[in-house]
Amino acid sequence: MNITKKRRALTAAVDAAMKAGSLMRRNRHSPKKITHIEAYDIKLELDVRSQKLIERTLYREFPEISLLGEEGDIGNIDSELRWVVDPIDGTVNYTYGIPYACVSIALQQRSPSSDGTDYDTLIGVIYDPFQDEIWTAIRGQKARL
C-alpha cells in the first residue's frame, strides 16, 4: 500500500474513531444496556452501535477492505487488507462511568513473508473521547498525539 493510500486510510480511521468517540461521550451518563457478561468482560448494546458507525465510515472510503471487529467481522478477515476495530476499548470502565476508555482502529496488511496468517499493522488510531486526544501512527513514521 503506497503512502497516499495509507494517509487516506488514516484520515478515514480518524474520522471513524472521532464519530464513535462522540457517541461514547453523548451516552456516558446514560443507563447502559448490557447484552453479555463474562468473568472480566462486558458487552454493551452501545459497542454494537459504535462498531456499526465505524464500519459505515470506513466502508464509505474503502469498501474493498474487510473488518475484524470485537463485535463481529465483515468480509474475508484473511484477505490482503483488513481493519481491526475495538469500538469501546475499556468497556468495563465505560460501563461503570470511569472515563478511561477509547476507540481503537488499525489497518493491517498480510505479511509477504508469512504463510498467510501473519499481518503487519500499517496504521493505527486510538481516540480518547474524554480527554479529546487522538494518537495516530503510520508504519515507518513517527507516532503523533
Side-chain angles (χ1 to χ4, degrees), residues 1-3 5-6 9 62 65 81 107 109 122-123:
M1 176 180 272
N2 67 36
I3 191 64
K5 192 167 181 181
K6 286 180 190 175
F62 296 96
I65 299 177
L81 293 168
L107 178 63
Q109 183 172 30
L122 302 178
I123 69 158

Side-chain angles (χ1 to χ4, degrees), residues 8-9 11-20 50-67 74 83:
R8 273 188 49 229
T11 299
V14 165
D15 185 36
M18 293 186 80
K19 286 177 180 176
S50 181
Q51 183 164 314
K52 292 290 183 195
L53 179 60
I54 292 167
E55 289 169 5
R56 283 192 305 271
T57 303
L58 295 176
Y59 281 110
R60 218 178 338 234
E61 285 295 317
F62 296 96
E64 73 282 5
I65 299 177
S66 63
L67 186 138
I74 295 183
W83 295 105

Side-chain angles (χ1 to χ4, degrees), residues 98-113:
I98 301 166
Y100 295 105
C102 61
V103 180
S104 298
I105 301 173
L107 178 63
Q108 295 182 326
Q109 183 172 30
R110 190 175 323 112
S111 178
S113 61

